[in-house]
């Protein structure tokens, strides 16, 4: 399910202890490296980062993980009691390559989802040049009614813009 089990602080149980219905997710366009995800009382939030998995590459003796720089990262949000994938929605998140979730919770009776997670920038180096990678924590606030992320603060917006320009310059120099 995840590299990092989740525990509900109130019940001290994990989502896997109380078995819920499996909800297959077919809306991902390609297999992604989903290392961790967020769970709140009412929602689950899954990253769809630029780190992709190509299992057949192993037959060619090549790494199965690669970076797809053309892909726009997304966050998939679904209610924990969803019957099927039709209730899932995806939010484009350019510049957000979420790897680890620090915490997540609901506010406003589940109308607001808050996720604190790591963001890897520039993602192009995460598989080979870790010394060039910057890891930051981001507070992601999602309005579950409008199905959109709350606007970035001015400082977050400047940071994302700066990180994106660094990635563009790096691509051009290669």
């Amino acid at each position: 399910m995840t590299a990092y089990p989740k525990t509900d602080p109130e019940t001290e149980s994990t989502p896997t202890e109380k078995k819920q219905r499996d909800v297959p997710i077919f809306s991902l366009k390609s297999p992604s490296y989903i290392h961790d995800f967020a769970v709140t009382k009412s929602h689950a939030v899954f990253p769809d980062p630029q780190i992709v998995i190509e299992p057949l590459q192993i037959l060619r003796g090549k790494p199965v993980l690669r970076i797809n720089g053309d892909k726009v990262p997304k966050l998939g949000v679904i209610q924990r009691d969803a019957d099927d994938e039709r209730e899932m929605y995806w939010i484009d998140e350019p510049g957000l390559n979420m790897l680890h979730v620090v915490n997540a919770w609901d506010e406003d009776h589940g109308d607001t989802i808050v996720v604190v997670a790591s963001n890897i920038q520039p993602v192009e180096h995460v598989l080979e040049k870790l010394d060039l990678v910057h890891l930051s924590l981001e507070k992601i606030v999602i309005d579950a009614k409008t199905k959109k992320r709350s606007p970035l603060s001015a400082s977050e917006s400047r940071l994302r813009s700066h990180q994106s320009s660094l990635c563009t310059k790096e691509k051009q120099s290669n």
Side-chain angles (χ1 to χ4, degrees):
M1 182 174 207
T2 177
Y4 306 99
K6 311 295 180 206
T7 303
D8 184 324
E10 291 179 17
T11 65
E12 296 185 6
S13 66
T14 65
T16 56
E17 286 178 23
K18 183 180 175 188
K19 180 66 175 151
Q20 296 178 350
R21 142 184 343 112
D22 287 337
V23 177
I25 311 254
F26 297 108
S27 55
L28 283 171
K29 304 295 180 212
S30 62
S32 293
Y33 182 65
I34 300 176
H35 184 71
D36 199 3
F37 65 97
V39 178
T40 70
K41 283 184 185 267
S42 58
H43 295 87
V45 179
F46 296 91
D48 181 16
Q50 291 173 295
I51 306 170
V52 297
I53 300 172
E54 295 178 335
L56 295 179
Q57 290 294 69
I58 201 164
L59 299 175
R60 296 179 181 100
K62 295 183 179 181
V64 296
L65 290 179
R66 74 173 183 85
I67 304 302
N68 180 350
D70 296 327
K71 178 180 179 180
V72 176
K74 299 176 181 354
L75 292 176
V77 181
I78 190 166
Q79 290 192 350
R80 288 184 56 189
D81 62 356
D83 290 324
D84 57 46
E85 179 190 22
R86 287 179 291 173
E87 298 179 45
M88 185 169 211
Y89 57 94
W90 293 92
I91 302 169
D92 285 354
E93 284 293 333
L96 178 66
N97 284 285
M98 188 169 99
L99 189 62
H100 294 106
V101 174
V102 176
N103 203 351
W105 63 91
D106 291 321
E107 292 180 352
D108 306 320
H109 307 287
D111 290 340
T112 302
I113 306 160
V114 181
V115 178
V116 178
S118 64
N119 185 21
I120 301 169
Q121 290 293 338
V123 71
E124 289 83 0
H125 299 304
V126 76
L127 299 177
E128 296 175 4
K129 301 176 184 174
L130 281 176
D131 57 325
L132 299 177
V133 173
H134 173 73
L135 190 66
S136 62
L137 284 181
E138 298 224 8
K139 181 179 180 184
I140 302 158
V141 181
I142 300 168
D143 183 325
K145 285 185 174 182
T146 64
K147 300 180 178 180
K148 295 181 179 177
R149 180 175 181 181
S150 295
L152 296 174
S153 70
S155 62
E156 290 172 318
S157 182
R158 281 193 302 275
L159 178 62
R160 285 255 184 111
S161 176
H162 176 70
Q163 290 170 336
S164 293
S165 69
L166 290 176
C167 293
T168 302
K169 288 177 186 174
E170 180 70 27
K171 280 184 188 177
Q172 292 172 347
S173 67
N174 287 336

